[in-house]
């Protein structure tokens, strides 16, 4: 199955971001992808964390979710809609949620980011604080779904950005084993430069699975800079495709023989002693 990871440089304009997401998903489908993944916060990168309330949608309703469902159905693709802020019962709290749509446009999975990012970014003057916990409520359950490519099914595990730093989440996604892990992200420039590729390849190697990591990458109109380097990594840790900066679509093919070979030759998932 050909899969595609979309890189964006989302802005403070919700409408513009939806237009760009639509164009890039169409480009991915035209390139033959049967599964397409968008980055974290694809629909909005605000100035402050609280700006997310402006565009947050109720679960199952709203223009971003309608667009995603419609695109999945029209293009007949599995669509991993990076992440969107969703409203909760508490008017002061949102979730950072990854929604997945099947090729008929039906919702098939929802994952709420479990690990909320906090970081004091160094720079000139006072550090700039990222603090998702100020407005988000954390999810508490790993989620996966089965994507059918017509020949076989692929179990796809879901995670979001900062989750990448918590290997125990991915171990939880190995019961039963996922064959592809999605990590829609918006890594900061400084943390991404230091850790992004290292962590993605480590998660692929230790779980012997493909990793698809669509990212935000570039200078945003909120003056933040994200690292980008959207990547698809194979179960041996090789980078199959990469988009360093700016918008774009990268694709790669999931090869069942490659996956089976890596897991057969080096059966380290079976050798685990601590479960
Ligand atoms: N932005 C994030 O959620 C995570 C990040 O940038 C990092 O872990 O580094």
């Amino acid at each position: 199955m050909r899969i595609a990871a979309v890189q964006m440089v989302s802005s403070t304009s919700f409408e513009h971001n939806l237009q760009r997401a639509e164009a890039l998903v169409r480009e991915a489908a035209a390139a033959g992808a049967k599964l397409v993944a968008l980055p974290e916060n694809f629909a909005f990168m605000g100035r402050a964390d609280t700006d997310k309330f402006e565009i947050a949608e109720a679960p199952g309703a709203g223009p971003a979710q309608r667009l995603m469902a419609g695109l999945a159905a029209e293009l007949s693709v599995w669509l991993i809609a990076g992440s969107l802020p969703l409203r909760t019962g508490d008017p002061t709290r949102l979730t950072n949620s990854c929604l997945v749509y099947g090729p008929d446009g039906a919702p098939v999975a929802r994952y709420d980011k479990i690990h909320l990012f906090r970081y004091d970014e160094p720079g000139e003057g006072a550090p700039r604080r990222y603090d998702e916990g100020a407005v988000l409520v954390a999810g508490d359950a790993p989620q996966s779904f089965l994507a059918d490519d017509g020949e076989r099914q692929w179990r796809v595990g879901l995670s979001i950005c900062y989750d990448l730093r918590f290997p125990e989440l991915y171990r939880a996604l190995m019961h039963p084993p996922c064959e592809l892990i999605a990590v829609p992200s918006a890594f900061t420039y400084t943390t991404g430069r230091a850790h992004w590729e290292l962590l993605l390849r480590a998660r692929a190697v230790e779980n012997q699975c493909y990793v698809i990591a669509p990212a935000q990458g570039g200078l945003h109109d909120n003056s933040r800079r994200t690292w980008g380097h959207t990547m698809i990594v194979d179960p041996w840790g090789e980078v199959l495709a990469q988009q360093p900066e700016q918008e774009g679509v990268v694709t790669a093919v999931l090869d069942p023989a490659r996956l089976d070979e890596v897991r057969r030759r080096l059966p380290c998932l079976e050798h685990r002693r601590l479960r």
Side-chain angles (χ1 to χ4, degrees):
M1 172 161 69
R2 184 168 292 280
I3 61 173
V6 171
Q7 183 155 295
M8 294 181 67
V9 191
S10 297
S11 70
T12 52
S13 165
F14 179 66
E15 291 72 23
H16 178 74
N17 297 330
L18 292 192
Q19 281 167 17
R20 294 312 308 147
E22 175 173 355
L24 291 159
V25 171
R26 288 186 184 283
E27 188 180 322
K34 295 286 170 233
L35 180 147
V36 182
L38 288 165
E40 183 181 32
N41 295 328
F42 70 92
F44 187 68
M45 294 278 283
R47 291 198 164 76
D49 284 311
T50 46
D51 292 352
K52 292 192 175 95
F53 285 97
E54 289 168 23
I55 61 96
E57 299 184 349
Q65 291 169 81
R66 273 198 298 279
L67 175 67
M68 294 296 117
L71 279 174
E74 182 195 329
L75 304 171
S76 197
V77 294
W78 296 90
L79 184 53
I80 300 177
S83 81
L84 275 174
L86 293 183
R87 294 200 199 119
T88 67
D90 177 347
T92 66
R93 294 277 152 180
L94 303 169
T95 56
N96 185 351
S97 302
C98 176
L99 302 173
V100 183
Y101 299 88
D104 58 358
V108 296
R110 167 181 169 173
Y111 166 72
D112 296 343
K113 188 177 188 176
I114 291 178
H115 303 96
L116 302 183
F117 186 50
R118 212 198 81 188
Y119 175 54
D120 290 329
E121 188 171 47
E124 285 172 22
R128 184 172 199 173
R129 173 157 287 195
Y130 292 77
D131 189 7
E132 286 189 316
V135 293
L136 297 181
V137 60
D140 58 6
Q143 298 291 343
S144 65
F145 68 96
L146 283 172
D148 198 322
D149 67 8
E151 282 173 27
R152 63 164 281 167
Q153 291 186 325
W154 296 87
R155 183 164 287 283
V156 185
L158 299 173
S159 63
I160 302 176
C161 201
Y162 187 50
D163 284 329
L164 182 59
R165 296 182 183 274
F166 300 86
E168 61 274 21
L169 170 62
Y170 301 92
R171 274 291 133 100
L173 288 169
M174 292 296 132
H175 304 281
C178 289
E179 285 116 9
L180 171 66
I181 282 173
V183 197
S185 296
F187 255 55
T188 72
Y189 187 85
T190 53
T191 58
R193 188 172 53 182
H195 302 146
W196 171 248
E197 180 172 341
L198 180 72
L199 290 168
L200 287 174
R201 295 179 67 193
R203 296 295 88 87
V205 170
E206 72 199 2
N207 296 297
Q208 302 189 304
C209 62
Y210 286 93
V211 171
I212 183 167
Q216 296 282 350
L219 188 59
H220 303 262
D221 69 348
N222 64 5
S223 84
R224 290 193 171 172
R225 190 169 176 199
T226 46
W227 175 242
H229 293 76
T230 283
M231 237 173 237
I232 301 174
V233 185
D234 87 352
W236 195 244
E238 280 180 30
V239 177
L240 300 180
Q242 159 160 213
Q243 166 89 10
E245 266 205 310
Q246 302 310 321
E247 273 189 6
V249 175
V250 295
T251 77
V253 173
L254 299 185
D255 178 358
R258 174 72 168 155
L259 181 79
D260 294 347
E261 189 201 0
V262 169
R263 288 185 173 180
R264 193 183 61 252
R265 284 182 188 269
L266 183 59
C268 56
L269 287 175
E270 290 167 27
H271 290 164
R272 278 177 297 153
R273 303 288 294 273
L274 306 174
R275 286 172 192 258

